[in-house]
Each structure stands twice: as structure tokens, then as C-alpha cells.
Amino acid sequence: MTWTEGIISRQPRTEEIKWPESGLPYMARQHAREYGNRRNAFLTHNDSMPEDLEGEFKALLKPRLKPRDGEIAREANLWYLPLARVVVPEHRHRVYYVYPGQTSLQVFILPSSQRTWQIAVTVLGALAVLYLLSRLLS
């Protein structure tokens, strides 16, 4: 009689996909993460994609779900949140981010990039004037 024993272990590799990679300000992303009603989906390579996922993300995810050489299956755990970026002509210096919350739509307001630059230049100008005044008076 021969006893043969083997243990095969494999460390799963986790790959994080953030889409879009840029374009959504950090503060808006954090607010949506905290107050948004995110949707969850658990997929394997045999499952069909959820209908409400955007086509570009589906195209990005589909090849990553196919098992590679030596693999039996792949799986993905998705958290996603539909979000709209809205700029109203009457309030062009504000950008509204709208997404579903736990009970109703949530709106997060940020200044536009143009307004942010205007504020930064104003603050820098005020600091320069204060610096010059302090140098002249001392």
C-alpha cells in the first residue's frame, strides 16, 4: 500500500478596476461612496453582465473574467453607482453630481474648475498684497 498526499494551494490575485479612472473629483467620489445607494453584482465568467452597466465598462470587464491558462474560473464582485454630472447654464460656476441615495436622489455641489481657479488666483493675490504691505510697513 502506498499513501500519496498532496496539497495544492493558490493565492488568488485581486485586480481593482476603477472606471472612470479620472474625471470625477475626489470629494464627489467620496460623497457618493458614503451616501449613495450602490448596486452590487457578483459575476463569474459564465454570467451575463448586468443591464445597467455602461458599455465601456462591460468591454473593460469581459476579457478579465475569462479564465486564463491553468485557471478553472474567474469571478468579480462589482459595486457600482449611476451618477450624472450636471452643469446648469444659469449656474455655470457650479457642478452638480446627482446619484441615487438610500431614500431619494442625492445632489452634491462643487465649484467648477474655472471658479476654483478664480478663487485660487484671488487668494494668491490677497496674500501677495499682504506680503507687500508687511514688507513696506516693517
Side-chain angles (χ1 to χ4, degrees):
M1 179 168 159
T2 303
W3 177 260
T4 305
E5 181 177 337
I7 298 174
I8 299 172
S9 63
R10 181 177 182 276
Q11 183 72 15
R13 189 181 77 177
T14 302
E15 183 179 356
E16 188 171 305
I17 303 171
K18 288 187 178 180
W19 188 85
E21 290 182 19
S22 64
L24 186 61
Y26 175 78
M27 290 178 64
R29 187 183 300 258
Q30 289 303 106
H31 195 271
R33 183 175 287 141
E34 187 173 341
Y35 298 106
N37 188 13
R38 298 188 303 179
R39 297 175 184 164
N40 298 325
F42 182 80
L43 303 173
T44 66
H45 65 283
N46 293 326
D47 296 331
S48 60
M49 298 282 178
E51 291 297 319
D52 53 351
L53 279 181
E54 289 198 26
E56 291 179 43
F57 187 75
K58 287 180 185 179
L60 183 68
L61 182 62
K62 198 157 186 102
R64 291 185 170 150
L65 275 177
K66 291 181 182 174
R68 297 193 176 128
D69 290 340
E71 293 180 338
I72 297 171
R74 286 190 153 212
E75 58 187 37
N77 197 0
L78 306 178
W79 297 280
Y80 58 102
L81 178 71
L83 182 136
R85 180 183 183 275
V86 180
V87 178
V88 179
E90 291 81 19
H91 302 278
R92 63 181 183 184
H93 293 299
R94 293 182 186 167
V95 179
Y96 300 90
Y97 295 92
V98 184
Y99 53 89
Q102 300 299 327
T103 58
S104 64
L105 290 177
Q106 297 288 316
V107 179
F108 186 66
I109 305 168
L110 287 176
S112 68
S113 59
Q114 181 183 5
R115 178 62 79 184
T116 303
W117 279 107
Q118 289 172 345
I119 293 168
V121 167
T122 303
V123 168
L124 285 174
L127 288 174
V129 168
L130 287 173
Y131 175 76
L132 290 174
L133 284 174
S134 71
R135 299 292 283 166
L136 287 174
L137 296 176
S138 59

